[in-house]
């Protein structure tokens, strides 16, 4: 796949830049890369700590498919494989798309979609992978981790290769085609989790539904659908 590189040393956010380029008509597979971000954004309105040295990039896509959360699952698989390729580590995926290593967060994905009716106009997949971070800010020290001895270029190249490998099958098969690999690397499925949205839910993360939603088996026996974007999972203390 041909990628159009858009590199700027310092950006507020590669996702914001990719969205601007999308609105200006940039082609699919435009890859926005920055050395560091001054206003990196995470899911659920959080800020994303993005100092020099990490891999901070956003991929603009214009696939002819209905709007789907499958893109974040696909990106999580590609990001996980990229970390294994460049650093030889076995990381996992915490639903929906946190890259986890040694119980800590190595990277994350922020999907932003422009939808008109039931048509996906464009999608921006933002990926952040921590690399060679010597000191995290206090609020991240217990929960974040970083790859060592690799470079952003190597991670981004490995991500693109891993993404390309899965893209044709994803376009033809959608989420079901991703499932076996996603299940194999999930650190959430089959476990007891606590989910915090506007309410707090606890249960067993049983499987994913057809749209990539998490199906949580509550203690009442009821199966509850949890959608991406408005949850955070924590392992309960006895895990
Ligand atoms: C999360 O886990 O909350 C998602 C983090 C996504 C961070 C990446 S870094 C590159 C891109 N630009 C942003 O502003 N955010 C994403």
């Amino acid at each position: 796949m041909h990628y159009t590189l858009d590199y700027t040393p310092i950006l507020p956010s590669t996702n914001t830049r990719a969205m601007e380029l999308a609105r200006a008509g940039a082609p699919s597979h435009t890859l926005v890369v920055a050395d560091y971000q001054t206003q990196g954004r995470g899911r659920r309105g959080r800020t994303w700590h993005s100092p020099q040295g990490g891999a901070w990039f956003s991929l603009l896509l214009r696939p002819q498919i209905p709007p789907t959360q499958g893109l974040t699952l696909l990106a999580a698989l590609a990001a996980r494989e990229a970390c294994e390729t460049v650093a030889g580590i076995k990381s996992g995926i915490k639903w929906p798309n946190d890259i986890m290593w040694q119980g800590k967060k190595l990277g994350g994905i922020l999907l932003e979609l422009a939808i008109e009716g039931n048509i996906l106009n464009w999608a921006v997949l933002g990926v952040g992978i921590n690399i060679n971070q010597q000191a995290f800010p206090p609020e991240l020290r217990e929960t974040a981790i970083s790859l060592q001895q690799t470079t952003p270029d190597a991670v981004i190249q490995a991500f693109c290769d891993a993404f390309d490998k899965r893209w044709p099958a994803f376009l033809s098969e959608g989420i079901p085609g991703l499932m076996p690999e996603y299940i194999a690397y999930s650190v959430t499925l089959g476990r007891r989790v606590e989910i915090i949205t506007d309410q707090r839910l606890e249960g067993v993360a049983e499987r994913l539904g057809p749209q990539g939603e998490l199906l949580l088996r509550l203690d009442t026996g009821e199966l509850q659908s949890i959608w991406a974007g408005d949850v955070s999972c924590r392992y309960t203390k006895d895990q």
Side-chain angles (χ1 to χ4, degrees), residues 52-74:
Q52 177 99 22
W56 323 124
F57 59 101
S58 300
L59 183 57
L60 166 63
L61 297 164
R62 297 181 182 278
Q64 311 267 304
I65 54 173
T68 173
Q69 295 293 346
L71 287 167
T72 71
L73 306 184
L74 172 65

Side-chain angles (χ1 to χ4, degrees), residues 12-16 37 39-44 46 48 50 55-58 97-98 105 107-110 125-129:
S13 154
T14 56
N15 260 41
T16 307
Q37 306 181 114
Q39 291 168 45
R41 295 187 283 114
R43 289 172 55 231
R44 305 179 73 212
R46 287 180 290 237
W48 182 260
S50 333
W56 323 124
F57 59 101
S58 300
N97 45 30
D98 288 351
K105 183 159 165 171
I109 287 149
L110 176 65
L125 260 179
V127 184
I129 308 284

